[in-house]
């Protein structure tokens, strides 16, 4: 179908439920509406509970980015308590979080994104046979290697977090596990093994060589590993021009440490400016929610049981200073000032988003090695504090998919309000009261749809480049 209307969904290889409604004209998407068709209500579940219950309940929002939710909840509680975690506890918490984020990036590339290029529609392309061999679902050699490497990396979570997902190791005052000298050696050993996998399979060269790429031209000359195969495919299928965003990027800052951030916070729109979270509001004009647009600390989750006709999603529409914002690895690396990401931002499409995640894998591997080297066995990894009877707290972190925020209100020692804005809430938001589409809705405009396609492959490439986590979206 290349004219009329088309509903694409449900999507496989997506965490949760997703539908995309497309208006087509002249073989391209004219407009898009993104529907998150599931309501879960975690924010309502938290109301009236002991604030510490957020550490147990919010990680259950998602099974693949649960540590991100844990970290945000812990930071919101620490903020409400006026508590600064111990420096070493903060460092170990960031290592735990980084392991999950890198694992998410690896899963996205190997299991969610690349299998689309094994489709029969690409059978005539010169790279198709290699893509089939490497990325066929359940069979591809790259997938088997990725799952094995991911499991090895996650041994770090077993050591430091006790389990994954849904750990309670990250607390407002630090972490529950104090690593000793033998642990430090074992952590470094696991990271060396993961580096070997990255350098032999993913990049085909030193991690530092990929992290040092400074331009899109240098990137497109990269031929090593599965990254090189992706770039060959991207050039042949013109992924650079597909799914371009508006160039507005948001990052809450990744891996906060005593001396600063691993990747700095900020906002990018043609240039860097400081982040002002007081300018965040959630618009509900096209969501099946009741109430008015509000800042998360004043917001509420009131589901519209009648599902009024002018709305079309259970996802609210977060806006920063009235504008939709794209978030994720590309946003983080642009705001952190990496030259390759800044060059890729001029494209802002599918290639840029996926390449930024590869870049972040390389840069985060180096960061994790530095974190392990900085562990001081015998130091304090936890400080205690007291929960107030009345307070507000904000917990801002960066999940693999982007900016995640928890906004907490405590009254009479109980949770009076808890609002969460997840990365895919930003990226897959519906229109706002001004009719401005969310980032994915805007990125899909102009995407080609071939005659006879009921699930257009180009549309799937754009959607998967954002790596949606719909269960977080409709928390």
């Amino acid at each position: 179908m290349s004219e009329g209307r088309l509903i694409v969904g449900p999507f496989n290889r997506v965490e949760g439920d997703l539908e995309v409604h497309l208006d087509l004209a002249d073989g391209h998407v004219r407009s898009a509406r993104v529907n998150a068709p599931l309501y879960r209500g975690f924010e309502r579940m938290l109301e009236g509970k002991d604030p510490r219950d957020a550490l147990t309940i919010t990680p259950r929002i998602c099974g693949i980015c649960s540590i991100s939710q844990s970290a945000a909840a812990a930071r919101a509680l620490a903020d409400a308590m006026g508590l600064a975690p111990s420096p070493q506890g903060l460092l170990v918490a960031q290592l735990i979080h980084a392991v999950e984020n890198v694992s998410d990036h690896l899963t996205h590339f190997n299991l969610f994104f690349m299998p689309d290029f094994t489709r029969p529609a690409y059978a005539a392309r010169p790279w198709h046979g290699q893509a089939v061999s490497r990325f066929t679902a359940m069979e591809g050699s790259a997938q088997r290697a990725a799952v094995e490497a991911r499991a090895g990396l996650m041994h770090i979570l077993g050591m430091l977090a006790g389990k994954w997902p849904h750990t309670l190791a990250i607390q407002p005052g630090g972490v529950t596990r104090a690593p000793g000298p033998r642990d430090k050696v074992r952590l470094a050993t696991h990271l060396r093994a993961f580096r070997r996998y990255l350098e032999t399979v993913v990049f085909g060269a030193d991690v530092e060589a990929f992290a040092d790429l400074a331009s899109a031209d240098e990137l497109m000359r990269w031929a090593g590993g599965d990254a090189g195969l992706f770039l060959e495919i991207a050039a042949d299928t013109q992924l650079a021009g597909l799914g371009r965003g508006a160039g507005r990027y948001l990052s809450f800052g990744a891996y906060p440490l005593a001396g600063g951030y691993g990747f700095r916070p900020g906002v990018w729109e043609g240039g860097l400016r400081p982040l002002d979270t007081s300018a965040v509001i959630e618009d509900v004009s096209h969501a099946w929610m009741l109430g008015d647009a509000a800042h998360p600390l004043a917001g509420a989750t009131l589901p519209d049981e009648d599902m009024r006709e002018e709305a079309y999603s259970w996802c609210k529409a977060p806006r920063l200073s009235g504008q939709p914002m794209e978030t994720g690895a590309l946003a983080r690396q642009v705001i952190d000032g990496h030259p390759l990401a800044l060059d890729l931002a001029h494209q802002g499409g599918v290639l840029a988003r996926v390449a930024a995640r590869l870049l972040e894998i390389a840069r985060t591997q180096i960061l994790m090695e530095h974190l392990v080297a900085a562990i001081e066995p015998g130091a304090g990894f936890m400080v205690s504090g007291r929960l107030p009877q009345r307070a507000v707290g904000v917990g801002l972190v960066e999940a693999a998919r982007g900016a995640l925020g928890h906004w907490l209100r405590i009254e009479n020692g109980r949770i009076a309000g808890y609002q969460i804005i997840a990365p895919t809430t930003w990226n897959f938001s519906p229109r706002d009261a001004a009719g401005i589409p969310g980032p994915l809705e805007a990125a899909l405009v102009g995407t080609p749809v071939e005659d006879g396609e009921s699930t257009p492959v180009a549309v799937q490439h754009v959607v998967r480049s954002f790596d949606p986590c719909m269960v977080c979206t409709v928390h």
Side-chain angles (χ1 to χ4, degrees):
M1 178 185 291
S2 59
E3 300 283 343
R5 292 187 175 181
L6 180 63
I7 299 176
V8 184
F11 284 73
N12 61 6
R13 286 176 280 122
V14 163
E15 182 78 355
D17 299 297
L18 170 66
E19 289 181 352
V20 178
H21 296 237
L22 305 174
D23 286 329
L24 309 178
D26 301 321
H28 293 79
V29 175
R30 181 172 55 191
S31 67
R33 295 197 171 211
V34 178
N35 172 22
L38 176 69
Y39 171 73
R40 300 179 77 208
F42 271 80
E43 292 158 328
R44 297 296 299 272
M45 297 177 205
L46 286 159
E47 293 172 3
K49 290 190 166 52
D50 187 302
R52 291 167 293 191
D53 287 346
L55 295 169
T56 300
I57 294 172
T58 60
R60 268 74 182 174
I61 290 171
C62 179
I64 58 175
C65 49
S66 72
I67 286 173
S68 296
Q69 301 288 352
S70 295
R75 290 184 69 79
L77 283 165
D79 189 38
M81 296 163 69
L83 181 66
S86 75
Q88 281 289 299
L90 182 63
L91 182 148
V92 170
Q94 303 321 306
L95 176 60
I96 292 170
H97 195 185
V99 168
E100 180 182 79
N101 283 351
V102 168
S103 298
D104 269 5
H105 288 335
L106 201 64
T107 301
H108 169 256
F109 182 75
N110 287 281
L111 275 65
F112 295 169
F113 184 77
M114 291 301 289
D116 275 334
F117 297 99
T118 68
R119 295 171 179 269
Y122 290 122
R125 305 295 179 109
W127 42 261
H128 184 257
Q130 192 175 0
V132 168
S133 172
R134 297 293 289 161
F135 296 106
T136 296
M138 306 296 291
E139 299 176 6
S141 55
Q143 294 191 334
R144 292 195 298 271
V147 169
E148 182 178 347
R150 181 176 180 266
L153 179 65
M154 283 191 164
H155 286 167
I156 292 174
L157 300 185
M159 293 175 60
L160 298 179
K163 65 172 184 174
W164 182 87
H166 313 325
T167 181
L168 286 170
I170 299 177
Q171 296 286 317
V175 293
T176 59
R177 175 79 160 82
R182 293 179 63 185
D183 295 318
K184 184 171 179 177
V185 172
R186 289 178 63 198
L187 293 169
T189 300
H190 287 310
L191 285 178
R192 281 196 298 272
F194 191 68
R195 173 182 274 266
R196 284 195 298 273
Y197 159 75
L198 293 178
E199 293 182 340
T200 57
V201 177
V202 177
F203 300 120
D206 291 347
V207 165
E208 285 80 4
F210 197 89
D212 288 343
L213 293 174
S215 70
D217 287 342
E218 288 183 22
L219 174 72
M220 298 312 292
R221 290 195 293 269
W222 188 274
D226 288 328
L229 176 58
F230 160 68
L231 294 167
E232 178 188 351
I233 292 170
D236 186 48
T237 55
Q238 300 180 330
L239 295 185
L242 186 65
R244 288 184 169 179
R248 289 187 294 268
Y249 298 114
L250 165 69
S251 172
F252 287 159
Y255 314 123
L257 299 163
Y261 287 84
F263 304 135
R264 68 188 177 194
V267 176
W268 181 274
E269 189 173 2
L272 183 67
R273 70 172 191 265
L275 171 65
D276 177 13
T277 59
S278 69
V280 174
I281 62 101
E282 288 192 282
D283 184 292
V284 296
S285 60
H286 290 82
W288 288 309
M289 296 285 172
L290 303 175
D292 299 319
H295 185 273
L297 281 175
T301 300
L302 304 171
D304 178 7
E305 296 179 14
D306 295 326
M307 298 175 66
R308 66 191 186 280
E309 188 148 347
E310 62 268 27
Y312 59 91
S313 178
W314 287 107
C315 177
K316 297 179 183 180
R319 297 293 185 261
L320 180 69
S321 301
Q323 295 290 339
M325 307 298 295
E326 181 174 332
T327 188
L330 177 60
R332 274 192 297 276
Q333 296 306 312
V334 167
I335 289 166
D336 199 51
H338 193 281
L340 173 58
L342 291 169
D343 201 17
L344 288 172
H346 296 301
Q347 302 174 7
V350 172
L351 168 61
R353 294 185 193 101
V354 178
R357 294 188 81 150
L358 292 171
L359 172 64
E360 192 160 280
I361 288 174
R363 294 192 73 197
T364 309
Q365 170 68 23
I366 297 167
L367 173 65
M368 290 190 295
E369 292 170 352
H370 290 162
L371 292 176
V372 168
I375 290 174
E376 299 174 5
F381 288 83
M382 176 78 79
V383 294
S384 60
R386 179 172 295 181
L387 273 171
Q389 288 293 297
R390 183 181 181 88
V392 296
V394 181
L396 306 177
V397 302
E398 283 288 313
R401 293 161 182 82
L404 169 64
H406 287 204
W407 285 262
L408 163 69
R409 285 189 297 111
I410 302 173
E411 295 178 7
N412 298 318
R414 314 298 286 185
I415 295 175
Y418 207 107
Q419 291 291 300
I420 300 168
I421 304 181
T424 309
T425 315
W426 286 101
N427 288 334
F428 281 43
S429 75
R431 283 161 168 73
D432 56 28
I436 299 173
L440 173 62
E441 293 181 334
L444 283 168
V445 173
T447 300
V449 177
E450 302 295 333
D451 284 334
E453 283 193 305
S454 58
T455 54
V457 66
V459 168
Q460 299 210 39
H461 293 331
V462 176
V463 170
R464 293 192 203 286
S465 72
F466 286 92
D467 188 19
C469 182
M470 303 309 296
V471 295
C472 284
T473 304
V474 295
H475 48 265

